[in-house]
Amino acid sequence: MGSDALQTLSKGASFSPSTYSMWDSSCERSPSYKMEKILELLEKFLKSDNPYHIFITNCKVNNQKKGMLYTPVTSLWTDTITYLVSIPERVANKKKPEISSVFTLENYAHLLSENMIRTLCKICRNMQHNEDVNLEFLSRLLGRLCVAGYSDSILGQIIPQMLKFSSQDFIWRRVCCRLVVGVPGQCLEAVVTPVLLQLPWYGYVEWLLGENVISNEKLKFLLTTKLLLIRQFQQDSILNNILGYLAQVPSRQMIFLQTLLKLLDAWGAGSALRHRSYSQQFYLTRALMICTAHLGGLDFSLYKQELLTKLLHGVEIHIGSPDNSVRTLGMVVGENISKVLDPEGPKLVFEYEVTNDSKHLKSLLKLEENSLDITSWCDQRNVCVTKNVSSITRELKSCEITEEKVNSSDSQKDISEVLDSDDDLEPYDMSHDVVSKKQPLYIRDCLQGLINHDKPEWTEACLRTAQALIQTELEGESEVALELAKVLLHLENSYTIDDFVILRHQSLVAVLTKHPKEVALYLTDQFYDRNYNIRQRLDILEVLASASQELSKVHVQVTASDHQSFHSDVKHNTVWWKELVEKRIENKTRIISKGKKVEPQGKENKFADVAGYFFFPLLHFYDRKENTFDLLGEDCYVLGRLVYTLGVIMHSASNTTVAKQMGSALLEFIWVLRYHTEKFVREALLFALCMAVISVPSFILLDNNRTEIMELQCWLQDIVEQDPNLECRRRAGHVLALFANMVKEVSKEIPVSTC
């Protein structure tokens, strides 16, 4: 396979996916000598005319079939384009940093650009001789290259050439328009956006886009909505090019006026203004000022009243803003656009501070004229690109030498300055200075900071402020709550943040308490889902238990008090439920005294309406064979934690309407697992049974589960007498005492069992 690839490349044959796959596979299995030889031949292959032959071959149209145009198979195009786009990355993966200059991104983009320009020249000559051509292959290649990140390098060299030839030849304009607009829909934005950023005047946009904005809905949406209302750019060139292109000829002026109406709607939306950043609002204001510059030569009589109404509404919204910069934007727009919309009407005059932004806005009212010599501009751009690419190695070396000289001179200068400085001056004591850290102010910024892990300090700040932001800003944001729960559940401590586990747990609990139904359904579903480790499943159980207590306001020290050790959690559970049982027994004990009786005060249980979403989904699939973890087998520790969680949720739902069904279900669950061999699971079952007895009213529990209680009583007696574990025997004794008190409370006697 490797020798075939060598022979194919050495002969200079046409490049094909099979040839590249042979080269790729041979690199994987061959010794280093073969790999070096293949890379050398591939470099010669790319430096030769072979890329040009690939392009021109795929742009030809075969007329062998009469009356039909035959083009190559698109699947072959896809493979070829994929290999052409990915050559630098593939070579870098083989050779790491030791690669030839041909395979660097800039040089490789320059090589492809030169061959694409040669191909376009050949295509235009063929069209002049009435030969059919097909630009689909080149358009697909251009789109994929721009999506892959080559847009600035490729278009920076191609656009000057296209403008230079298009200024003299109408055929070139047709070819360039087909090339740019013919890219696949998913690549259109990646191609059109850098084109609009690089064109020096809006009059040239028509050469590359033609009238396609009228018929191409994707292009229309991109120009009139996404690039104006959704995205933002610092450069004015993209706004000038889009709006000037739309207002240039009568066939597109209707779209221009409709776009102006959308801009005014977005600019004057009160709710959006409160949540939009100043830079985005300033971007919309710049677009409105450029529209004003083009309105003078248009007939907008049909839209005059509607434009005035939207303008005055937007000005009123801006003037009412507490931000002085936003008020200034409204005043500048109101003064200038009203003069154009209603020259004979009353003038709007405001007093505002003249700033750089207001000066910049007023400068946009002057239309750009085509005073540019396109030929000299294109030649200058091409010289810069060629110089930057061909001399990159030499320039880097010269830069290194110059930098060394500058550094040495700077160091000498610094030394002389230090020697000449006043040594008598004492430095300030900065040991107590505190570095202020930025924190997110909005929940969506916090969410984005947790998703992106590029800045460790910002990620930590987002995690530390997440709980507070969730508690104050997550009302009515169920979609954001679900996204937050997902991100927090999968968040890892990549930067060893202090108290990471506690912070994440608190944030998850806060999300769950704000939107209990939606988030509880998500977490309980994920507990039995695949591709989760044991740690994450235990985290889900902890969060459900803590949130249920928070919602029910049961002030008991239970799980999550020590997130570093689950074993300590179990100890805490043991302590608090023992105290609870002893208090319950004490309350049922008759004490003769004359103390004043205090009536208990009722309290709303917010957990009542959502308790079922926490409880029942956890019972559904514990024995499902499709689970990626074995609750009934080797993962019995998770089973024990699950039982503890069910018990905590049961207690949080005390005296609620759903407690009856929850208690019955929990008794059945306990009965199935009562003879489990692991003592940890048996301890958890006794804890859950205790919670069921305490949480459900005695008469309801006895009326609906009399048989189960009798059987459980026999089981408890067996544990007290025969269980080898001391803790299990103690817990069973406590539950038996609760059973006895429950019988006395409802004045019904359960027959004594002879177990």
Side-chain angles (χ1 to χ4, degrees), residues 424-708:
D424 297 331
L425 297 177
E426 296 181 0
Y428 287 101
D429 183 14
M430 304 178 65
S431 60
H432 301 291
D433 288 359
V434 178
V435 180
S436 60
K437 295 183 179 181
K438 297 178 63 178
Q439 294 183 347
L441 300 178
Y442 302 98
I443 190 64
R444 294 182 183 273
D445 294 339
C446 179
L447 174 61
Q448 195 63 34
L450 294 175
I451 295 175
N452 299 330
H453 300 284
D454 300 333
K455 302 177 180 178
E457 296 81 7
W458 180 247
T459 302
E460 182 177 356
C462 292
L463 183 60
R464 293 191 180 278
T465 57
Q467 183 183 10
L469 290 175
I470 290 168
Q471 293 173 347
T472 57
E473 292 193 18
L474 206 57
E475 292 291 341
E477 297 282 350
S478 59
E479 295 182 358
V480 180
L482 287 174
E483 187 66 17
L484 260 174
K486 180 179 179 181
V487 172
L488 289 169
L489 182 61
H490 294 82
L491 191 63
E492 296 181 357
N493 192 10
S494 303
Y495 304 114
T496 60
I497 300 173
D498 295 336
D499 301 328
F500 172 84
V501 177
I502 297 176
L503 293 171
R504 187 183 63 157
H505 174 82
Q506 292 173 347
S507 300
L508 274 169
V509 172
V511 173
L512 185 51
T513 53
K514 277 294 182 181
H515 292 271
K517 178 181 177 181
E518 296 84 358
V519 179
L521 289 174
Y522 168 76
L523 291 178
T524 52
D525 179 69
Q526 297 305 301
F527 178 77
Y528 290 105
D529 202 356
R530 300 187 177 188
N531 302 323
Y532 282 92
N533 56 38
I534 299 300
R535 173 73 254 184
Q536 290 172 315
R537 301 184 198 277
L538 295 175
D539 288 342
I540 292 175
L541 295 177
E542 278 195 20
V543 171
L544 291 171
S546 299
S548 66
Q549 293 178 335
E550 181 68 21
L551 287 170
S552 63
K553 297 299 181 183
V554 178
H555 297 289
V556 184
Q557 295 186 3
V558 70
T559 59
S561 60
D562 185 359
H563 297 274
Q564 304 301 327
S565 173
F566 281 96
H567 294 283
S568 60
D569 253 353
V570 176
K571 293 179 181 178
H572 285 298
N573 280 329
T574 304
V575 172
W576 82 261
W577 87 264
K578 279 184 179 180
E579 294 175 353
L580 190 64
V581 171
E582 291 173 356
K583 186 177 180 181
R584 181 71 176 265
I585 296 173
E586 182 181 355
N587 291 337
K588 299 299 181 181
T589 304
R590 185 180 179 184
I591 300 176
I592 301 175
S593 65
K594 297 182 180 180
K596 184 178 179 180
K597 185 178 181 180
V598 180
E599 293 292 333
Q601 296 181 354
K603 196 171 186 179
E604 180 186 3
N605 189 347
K606 296 181 180 179
F607 187 59
D609 294 334
V610 296
Y613 302 111
F614 284 63
F615 186 85
F616 293 109
L618 290 178
L619 290 175
H620 282 175
F621 306 115
Y622 74 95
D623 58 347
R624 187 173 60 177
K625 296 181 179 179
E626 292 80 8
N627 289 338
T628 55
F629 62 111
D630 186 11
L631 281 177
L632 301 179
E634 60 182 5
D635 295 322
C636 58
Y637 181 75
V638 182
L639 176 62
R641 295 299 305 165
L642 172 62
V643 177
Y644 270 112
T645 303
L646 292 171
V648 173
I649 296 173
M650 181 76 250
H651 182 254
S652 300
S654 298
N655 299 317
T656 61
T657 56
V658 74
K660 171 185 173 182
Q661 292 84 354
M662 291 172 61
S664 299
L666 188 56
L667 290 180
E668 294 179 6
F669 181 72
I670 294 171
W671 180 254
V672 172
L673 300 174
R674 67 190 185 281
Y675 291 120
H676 203 282
T677 56
E678 288 292 330
K679 66 180 183 64
F680 178 74
V681 177
R682 295 198 303 276
E683 292 175 3
L685 292 172
L686 291 168
F687 167 80
L689 179 58
C690 178
M691 294 301 101
V693 175
I694 292 175
S695 304
V696 183
S698 301
F699 68 96
I700 295 178
L701 193 64
L702 278 173
D703 288 345
N704 294 278
N705 305 279
R706 182 177 296 270
T707 304
E708 290 83 358

Side-chain angles (χ1 to χ4, degrees), residues 112-128:
L112 292 183
S113 301
E114 286 184 341
N115 286 282
M116 291 178 73
I117 293 171
R118 290 179 59 192
T119 305
L120 292 176
C121 293
K122 177 63 175 176
I123 287 173
C124 290
R125 288 197 298 270
N126 291 349
M127 292 182 66
Q128 290 175 354

Side-chain angles (χ1 to χ4, degrees), residues 700-718:
I700 295 178
L701 193 64
L702 278 173
D703 288 345
N704 294 278
N705 305 279
R706 182 177 296 270
T707 304
E708 290 83 358
I709 290 177
M710 291 178 61
E711 293 173 344
L712 287 172
Q713 189 179 21
C714 295
W715 170 61
L716 291 171
Q717 291 175 356
D718 289 339

